[in-house]
Amino acid sequence: LYSLDRNGVNVPLNALSYNAADGYLYAVQVGGNRLFRLGLDSYQDLGPVAGLSTVNSASADAAGVLYLANDNTNQLFRFVVATRTITTVPLPSNVRFGDLAAIDSVVALNPLDGLIYTTRFYNSAGNNGLVRIDASTGTITTLAPSGTLTTTGQDVGALFFDAAGTLYAATNQGTLVLYNTADGSVTDIGVVDGAAQADGASCANPPQRLDVVRTAGQPVVVTPATSATTPVVIDVPFTVQLQNTGPVD
């Protein structure tokens, strides 16, 4: 999703995030501070957000708080959707969240530790890495194998967590990678469609939480070997147990 038709006028969008508190996507008009709420087949123009400047990156926590930022700046915006309250979180130095004019880089919030992660470039031959942000204190930590982030490479357009706290990134050039949030190391895991601009939103806070336990049973020989060159066929039964640990029945 990059734009919507608003009364015959094309409105480009950026800073996409998914709010698990109400089940809607949110995005900000490119070059402005007008907020849109996006549903399955409709949208709502929520109007300008006073105090919000141009942003290109966003993520949301489970309580319905949006965190927004722009590239190469030293602050986060913290926006409470339910009350339309906005505050700023000062950062000790500028962070590369992405270049709005050329790419659509992102920020993502980890459902396990509640911290924010962002990155600007992916380079298969470079150092890569992440920036980790504690929005409660404004503390930033660089996570990179050699201590510094790569400054060139493919543009990270979509950065998102799953419910298990696994961080994925898709570049605008079509590479899908997996980031280690402990040390910033990265693994190339596949190919996706490239795009001039991309965006990502984490759906990492589902209303249901399931514990899954898989137990292997006693192997059973189905077909024994009849010679040294014939295979043995063995069945291994598995028992899968599910437990709902969330608040929804």
Side-chain angles (χ1 to χ4, degrees), residues 140-202:
I140 63 174
T141 304
T142 298
L143 304 171
S146 68
T148 58
L149 302 177
T150 186
T151 57
T152 61
Q154 297 185 33
D155 303 315
V156 175
L159 190 66
F160 50 93
F161 279 101
D162 64 17
T166 305
L167 179 60
Y168 300 88
T171 72
N172 292 351
Q173 289 74 24
T175 302
L176 182 65
V177 298
L178 177 69
Y179 276 94
N180 184 326
T181 56
D183 61 10
S185 59
V186 62
T187 304
D188 186 334
I189 59 173
V191 177
V192 295
D193 291 338
Q197 290 190 351
D199 210 338
S202 299

Side-chain angles (χ1 to χ4, degrees), residues 119 121-130 143-145 148-150 179 184 186:
T119 190
F121 294 108
Y122 163 71
N123 191 326
S124 60
N127 193 43
N128 295 292
L130 298 165
L143 304 171
T148 58
L149 302 177
T150 186
Y179 276 94
V186 62

